[in-house]
């Protein structure tokens, strides 16, 4: 298989300018399509948002019934505060406001308590008046038959006019304030936050990553190459996501999370390729006898170095990409569409990253040639020269990583036991994990739309949506009689009067809790579903959708784990010829993930580091975030496992004893693994600086997962384990050894 990579490297090295030009065109087109869009609609215009659900589940069926029965159009609501709805001057000031809103094209109704007969004293006005009487709601409904363009224009006009209402009422109610909210505005707020967070993350991550690579390589030229690959991967990834948006619904969080993955992997792969090329070119140059020989070999040395790089690092990159892709493809096993979207988009971005590493990187290496091993201009800076001498990649077989591994190998059992205890302690908080499916709680605390939703829930109880809603296929009389049994359930605070909705009836159930997704709300949902109702019922709401989503994930999780574990085992066996190494890799990665998830629970569920990370806890972890951290975290762990094993296996195949191979392999790959991990941590940490909670959870958790894997696991646990196992690391039954001789993928 190495011949394939050599051939690719040879083709690209002979046509570097053409290859770079093709990639440049693809990058421009990728960013152009994603940002400008097709037919005036860009990627961010096509994103969706909302609580994740499972098609065919009880909550999804109930929600579909309500959506089909709802014949109303879009609406916006203005919540006024600091105003007395019974004030006659306020009623007078509202008359022209009401008329102007009604005159906007597409508006079919303007509803407020002052426009009803008798004003705020009318019983029908109660849901529109604040609980303390110090405010009221103005609801503007649109024609349901409007086209998308007409609806967008109408919403913009209504939003603009509603924002002006507090100023119109200043003379009648000095100090009045208002918040405008609605489903359309919530979706826009989340989508805009995604776009803002993406720019923020890239602005933080890319410059810091470049600085790190300057210290790794000792110069700007070598450091810029992985960055070029990262930019190409982002462009390709965004273009891929735009294409997927015409096929499947893409949640707003997909863009940031998948882009972060592609950015991190492409830098990893570029780092490995450039480092190996410099190592190979150094060997060839050192073998030359003199300056004239170097001139005579010229581009031949560069071409040979590229071929060796592709046969080794190119193979490793491909293996790494396969292991990460396998892990993320496991998401396709799950039923919820949001997880499948992450799986498809993630695999697409990985493909772009590996294509960039195998084509763009060799082209850039060919163009740079011997300049990559010449002293950098930074070496002329006295103080900086000393630092770069310690941090830039070197050719010595002894160094920090070999000495650290040597210490581990002198006491492998102590290191093994200590790391297992440490990982176990970090995993302890995982025991009280609470899963959530949040909605507006994901927005930052200062978000207008989050404030609006919280205001409705606290000040307009009668107008707020019940945490639990029962959809009943029955007559109003039957539903009313049965509703009395709901009031007797544990955890139920009150039950709203049944309301006809088309041919169905809805019953609002309000749990004795302010949290629509906590244990009390989930208990109420389960108790209602356990009742033997005399007619078909469907329970909907945040808690109901949360239960259905979690059940769907748990039901498919064993299949996903089995498929990913088996595929990873087979791939690592084909790479190493061992059955012990793949099992060891799976176990150590599982321990690393458990520790990472434990820290995630401690931070985001238990509410530690809220000030540092600037977030408001929701009382749990988003269900799909847990699945994503497991899938992506496992893939990244395998990424570094492949980096390390490829070098150790090279040495073992060359006849180096196991312990020496582990020590030398750690020295040769430790610098790259540590540098790559540091860059990935920076990339993920850059997105923690964003405001959307789900992005914070994923970014922080994956950054910590990489930190644990690159330090505790990769530098301590793996060499200790491989030292304890000794030559047994490479054991396999005879029939599998014969199979590996025929099918194994070797250098």
């Amino acid at each position: 298989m190495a011949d394939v990579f050599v051939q690719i490297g040879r083709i690209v090295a002979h046509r570097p300018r053409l290859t770079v030009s093709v990639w440049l065109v693809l990058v421009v087109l990728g960013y152009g399509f994603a940002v400008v869009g097709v037919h005036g609609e860009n990627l961010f215009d096509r994103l969706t948002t909302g609580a994740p659900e499972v098609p065919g589940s009880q909550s999804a069926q109930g929600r579909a019934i309500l959506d089909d029965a709802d014949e109303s159009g879009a609406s916006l609501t203005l919540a006024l505060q600091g105003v007395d709805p019974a004030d006659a001057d306020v009623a007078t000031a509202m008359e022209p406001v009401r008329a102007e809103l009604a005159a906007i094209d597409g508006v079919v109704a303007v509803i407020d308590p002052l426009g009803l007969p008798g004003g705020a004293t009318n019983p029908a006005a109660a849901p529109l008046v604040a609980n303390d009487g110090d405010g009221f709601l103005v609801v503007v409904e649109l024609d349901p038959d409007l086209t998308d363009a007409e609806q967008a224009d109408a919403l913009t006009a209504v939003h603009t006019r509603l924002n002006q209402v507090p100023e119109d009422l200043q003379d009648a109610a000095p100090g009045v304030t208002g918040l405008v909210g609605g489903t359309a505005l919530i979706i826009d707020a989340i989508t805009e936050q995604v776009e803002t967070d993406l720019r923020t993350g890239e602005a933080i991550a890319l410059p810091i990553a470049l600085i790190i690579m300057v210290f790794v390589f000792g110069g700007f030229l070598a450091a810029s190459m992985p960055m070029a690959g990262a930019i190409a991967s982002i462009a390709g990834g965004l273009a891929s996501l735009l294409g997927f948006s015409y096929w499947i619904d893409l949640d707003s969080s997909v863009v940031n999370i998948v882009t972060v993955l592609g950015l991190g992997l492409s830098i990893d792969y570029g780092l490995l390729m450039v480092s190996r090329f410099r190592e190979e070119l150094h060997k060839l140059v050192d073998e030359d006898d003199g300056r004239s020989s170097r001139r005579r070999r010229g581009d031949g040395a560069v071409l040979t170095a590229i071929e060796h790089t592709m046969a080794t690092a190119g193979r490793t990159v491909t293996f790494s990409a396969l292991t990460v892709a396998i892990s993320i493809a496991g998401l396709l096993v799950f039923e919820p569409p949001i997880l499948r979207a992450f799986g498809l988009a993630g695999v697409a971005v990985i493909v772009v990253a590996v294509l960039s590493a195998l084509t763009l990187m060799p082209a850039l290496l060919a163009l740079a040639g011997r300049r990559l091993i010449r002293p950098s201009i930074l070496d002329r800076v006295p103080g900086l020269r000393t630092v770069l001498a310690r941090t830039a990649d070197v050719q010595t077989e002894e160094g920090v990583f070999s000495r650290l591994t040597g210490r581990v190998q002198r006491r492998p059992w102590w290191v093994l036991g200590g790391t297992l205890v440490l990982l176990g302690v970090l995993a302890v908080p995982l025991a009280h994990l609470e899963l959530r499916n949040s909605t507006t709680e994901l927005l930052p605390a200062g978000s207008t739309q989050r404030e609006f939703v919280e205001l409705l829930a606290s000040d307009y109880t009668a107008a707020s949506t019940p945490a639990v809603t029962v959809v009943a296929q029955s007559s109003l009389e039957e539903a009313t009689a049965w509703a009395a049994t709901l009031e007797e359930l544990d955890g139920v605070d009150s039950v709203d009067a049944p309301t006809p909705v088309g041919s169905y009836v809805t019953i609002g159930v309000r749990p004795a809790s302010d949290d629509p997704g906590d244990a009390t709300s989930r208990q109420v949902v389960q108790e209602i579903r356990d009742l033997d109702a005399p007619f078909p019922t469907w329970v909907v709401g945040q808690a109901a959708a949360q239960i259905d989503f979690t059940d769907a994930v748990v039901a498919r999780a064993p299949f996903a784990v089995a498929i990913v574990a088996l595929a990873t085992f087979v791939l690592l066996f084909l790479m190493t010829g061992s059955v012990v190494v793949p099992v060891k890799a799976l176990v150590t990665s599982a321990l690393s993930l458990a520790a990472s998830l434990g820290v995630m629970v401690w931070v985001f569920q238990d509410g530690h580091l809220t000030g540092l990370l600037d977030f408001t806890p929701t009382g749990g972890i988003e269900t799909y975030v847990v699945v994503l951290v497991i899938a992506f975290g496992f893939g990244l762990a395998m990424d570094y496992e492949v980096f390390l094993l490829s070098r150790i296996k090279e040495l073992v195949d060359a006849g180096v004893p196991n312990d020496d191979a582990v020590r030398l392999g750690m020295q040769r790959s430790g610098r790259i693994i540590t540098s790559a991990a540091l860059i990935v941590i920076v990339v993920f940490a850059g997105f923690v600086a964003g405001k959307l909670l789900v992005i914070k959870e994923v970014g922080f958790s994956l950054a910590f997962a990489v930190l644990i894997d690159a330090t505790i696991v990769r530098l301590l646990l793996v060499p200790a384990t491989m030292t304890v196992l000794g030559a047994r690391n490479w054991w396999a039954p005879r029939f599998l050894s014969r199979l590996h001789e025929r099918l194994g993928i070797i250098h």
Side-chain angles (χ1 to χ4, degrees):
M1 187 173 181
D3 291 342
V4 175
F5 295 106
V6 170
Q7 188 64 28
I8 293 173
R10 188 176 296 130
I11 292 172
V12 172
H14 281 102
R15 300 171 181 82
R17 289 182 174 83
L18 175 61
T19 304
V20 172
S21 298
V22 170
W23 270 103
L24 183 61
V25 171
L26 292 176
V27 167
V28 172
L29 291 176
Y31 278 115
F33 282 132
V35 176
V36 178
V38 181
H39 305 300
E41 193 175 40
N42 65 24
L43 170 61
F44 298 97
D45 294 331
R46 298 190 56 79
L47 299 179
T48 62
T49 189
E53 62 177 26
V54 182
S57 64
Q58 187 183 133
S59 59
Q61 291 176 10
R63 177 52 54 193
I65 291 172
L66 295 179
D67 290 342
D68 291 342
D70 185 8
E71 298 179 354
S72 62
S75 67
L76 291 181
T77 299
L78 168 65
L80 291 165
Q81 299 169 272
V83 58
D84 182 2
D87 190 320
D89 292 338
V90 173
T92 301
M94 277 297 300
E95 290 178 4
V97 171
R98 196 179 301 115
E100 291 178 22
L101 287 168
I104 295 174
D105 289 341
V107 173
V108 295
V110 180
I111 305 168
D112 68 87
L114 284 66
L116 299 175
T121 61
N122 189 321
L128 301 174
V129 178
N131 296 340
D132 59 3
D134 191 32
F136 63 92
L137 302 179
V138 180
V139 182
V140 180
E141 296 183 352
L142 303 185
D143 186 342
D145 296 326
L146 295 177
T147 64
D148 290 343
E150 291 171 339
Q151 179 176 292
D153 291 340
L155 286 172
T156 300
V158 170
H159 188 199
T160 301
R161 186 64 189 90
L162 287 176
N163 278 328
Q164 298 168 351
V165 173
E167 183 178 348
D168 297 335
L169 302 182
Q170 283 298 320
D171 291 339
V176 62
T177 59
L179 287 174
V180 181
T183 302
L185 297 183
I186 292 173
I187 293 173
D188 289 344
I190 293 177
T191 303
E192 289 172 6
Q193 193 63 61
V194 165
E195 194 169 359
T196 301
D197 287 355
L198 182 60
R199 289 195 299 267
T200 301
E202 290 176 349
I204 294 173
L206 291 178
I208 297 178
L210 178 61
I211 293 172
I212 293 172
M213 283 187 290
V214 167
F215 282 96
V216 172
F217 291 124
F220 284 104
L221 180 60
S224 66
M225 292 187 176
M227 296 304 297
I231 292 171
S233 293
I234 293 174
L238 292 176
S240 300
L241 291 175
L242 178 63
F244 279 127
S245 72
Y246 288 92
W247 180 26
I248 58 176
D249 290 335
L250 286 182
D251 187 82
S252 55
S253 58
V254 172
V255 175
N256 279 12
I257 294 173
V258 171
T259 300
V260 170
L261 177 71
L263 178 60
L265 287 178
S266 59
I267 292 178
D268 272 7
Y269 297 157
L271 191 66
L272 183 63
M273 294 288 289
V274 174
S275 180
R276 188 61 185 252
F277 172 77
R278 296 180 75 191
E279 180 181 330
E280 296 293 341
L281 191 57
H282 264 299
K283 290 179 183 177
L284 293 170
V285 170
D286 291 344
E287 290 172 0
D288 286 338
D289 295 328
R291 187 183 301 274
S292 60
S293 175
R294 279 198 298 274
R295 285 200 195 99
R296 187 170 56 254
R297 289 178 62 166
D299 290 340
V302 173
L303 177 60
T304 302
I306 289 175
E307 291 176 352
H308 289 174
T309 299
M310 289 294 290
T312 53
R315 168 183 176 273
T316 300
V317 164
T318 304
F319 259 105
S320 171
L322 281 173
T323 56
V324 179
I326 286 170
S327 177
I328 294 175
L331 296 172
L332 300 176
V333 175
F334 294 101
E335 197 174 356
I338 188 172
L339 295 180
R340 293 184 176 182
F342 273 109
L344 286 171
V347 171
V349 169
I350 292 168
V351 170
V352 175
V354 75
L355 287 176
S356 167
L358 296 181
T359 57
L360 179 59
M361 281 299 106
L364 294 174
L365 294 174
L367 292 175
R370 292 171 180 258
R371 285 177 292 174
L372 289 176
I373 60 172
R374 292 172 186 163
S376 166
I377 191 172
L378 298 177
D379 287 335
R380 301 175 186 176
V381 182
L384 195 56
R385 183 192 307 130
T386 304
V387 175
L388 294 177
R390 293 179 176 274
T391 61
D393 57 345
V394 294
Q395 307 305 309
T396 178
E397 298 289 353
E398 295 294 334
V400 174
F401 297 99
S402 62
R403 288 193 293 271
L404 175 61
T405 303
R407 294 191 184 98
V408 170
Q409 289 179 326
R410 284 194 289 273
R411 296 177 179 83
W413 284 106
W414 282 101
V415 175
L416 178 60
T419 53
L420 291 178
V421 169
L422 178 56
L423 293 174
V425 170
L426 292 175
V428 167
L430 188 58
H432 62 269
L433 169 67
E434 287 283 339
L435 298 176
R436 305 278 300 209
N437 277 25
S438 303
T439 51
T440 52
E441 302 99 313
L442 300 179
L443 286 168
S447 166
T448 300
Q449 292 309 301
R450 178 167 178 170
E451 290 180 5
F452 173 79
V453 172
E454 292 173 348
L455 176 65
L456 286 188
S458 62
D459 290 8
Y460 296 89
T461 308
S464 63
T465 303
V468 178
T469 299
V470 180
V471 181
Q473 190 175 18
S474 70
S475 66
L476 182 59
E477 293 75 15
E478 287 180 303
T480 302
W482 182 71
T485 63
L486 301 180
E487 297 179 348
E488 301 173 0
L489 297 177
D490 292 337
V492 172
D493 182 59
S494 64
V495 177
D496 295 350
T499 305
V501 178
S503 59
Y504 296 85
V505 177
T506 61
I507 307 171
V509 181
R510 300 181 185 273
S513 168
D514 295 331
D515 188 340
D518 68 358
T520 301
S521 298
R522 296 198 302 272
Q523 176 189 340
V524 169
V525 170
Q526 203 59 59
E527 288 178 342
I528 295 174
R529 288 179 172 180
D530 291 340
L531 291 176
D532 186 16
F535 39 75
T537 61
W538 298 264
V539 184
V540 302
Q542 182 175 326
Q546 188 172 308
I547 290 172
D548 292 338
F549 191 94
T550 304
D551 288 346
V553 169
V554 171
R556 296 288 182 90
F559 299 101
V561 171
I563 292 171
V564 170
L566 180 61
T568 302
F569 180 90
V570 171
L571 193 62
L572 291 181
F573 168 74
L574 293 176
M575 176 182 174
T576 64
S578 165
V579 297
V580 177
V581 167
V583 171
K584 185 263 310 172
L586 291 171
V587 172
T588 54
S589 296
L591 293 171
S592 176
L593 278 176
S596 304
L597 291 172
V599 173
M600 177 174 66
V601 171
W602 184 79
V603 171
F604 290 99
Q605 178 177 309
D606 298 345
H608 297 95
L609 306 184
T610 54
L612 178 63
L613 299 181
D614 188 24
F615 72 95
T616 302
T618 63
I621 305 296
E622 299 306 303
T623 308
Y624 72 91
V625 167
V626 175
V627 179
L628 292 180
V629 170
I630 293 173
F632 286 25
F634 180 81
L636 291 170
M638 288 296 102
D639 185 37
Y640 300 129
E641 182 78 8
V642 170
F643 281 14
L644 177 58
L645 285 177
S646 63
R647 296 310 296 259
I648 295 176
K649 181 60 175 171
E650 277 187 64
L651 294 164
V652 170
D653 289 344
V656 178
N658 177 81
D659 287 4
D660 292 340
V662 172
R663 183 172 55 79
L664 294 176
M666 283 295 301
Q667 176 60 29
R668 293 181 180 180
S669 62
R671 181 183 300 274
I672 298 303
I673 291 174
T674 305
S675 302
L678 180 58
I679 291 170
V680 169
I681 290 170
V682 167
V683 169
F684 283 124
F687 285 83
V688 174
K691 299 296 185 181
L692 208 60
L693 179 59
V694 76
I695 306 300
K696 281 184 181 291
E697 289 182 349
V698 174
F700 176 87
S701 302
L702 288 179
F704 202 86
V706 171
L707 176 63
I708 291 176
D709 191 81
T711 54
I712 299 173
V713 174
R714 213 57 52 197
L715 298 181
L716 300 174
L717 181 58
V718 168
T721 305
M722 296 191 77
T723 301
V724 168
L725 292 171
R728 288 167 293 190
N729 279 300
W730 315 105
W731 177 85
R734 288 186 179 180
F735 75 96
L736 287 179
S737 296
R738 290 193 295 268
L739 182 65
H740 182 261
E741 290 175 1
R742 296 199 306 270
L743 303 178
I745 305 173
I746 59 176
H747 289 296

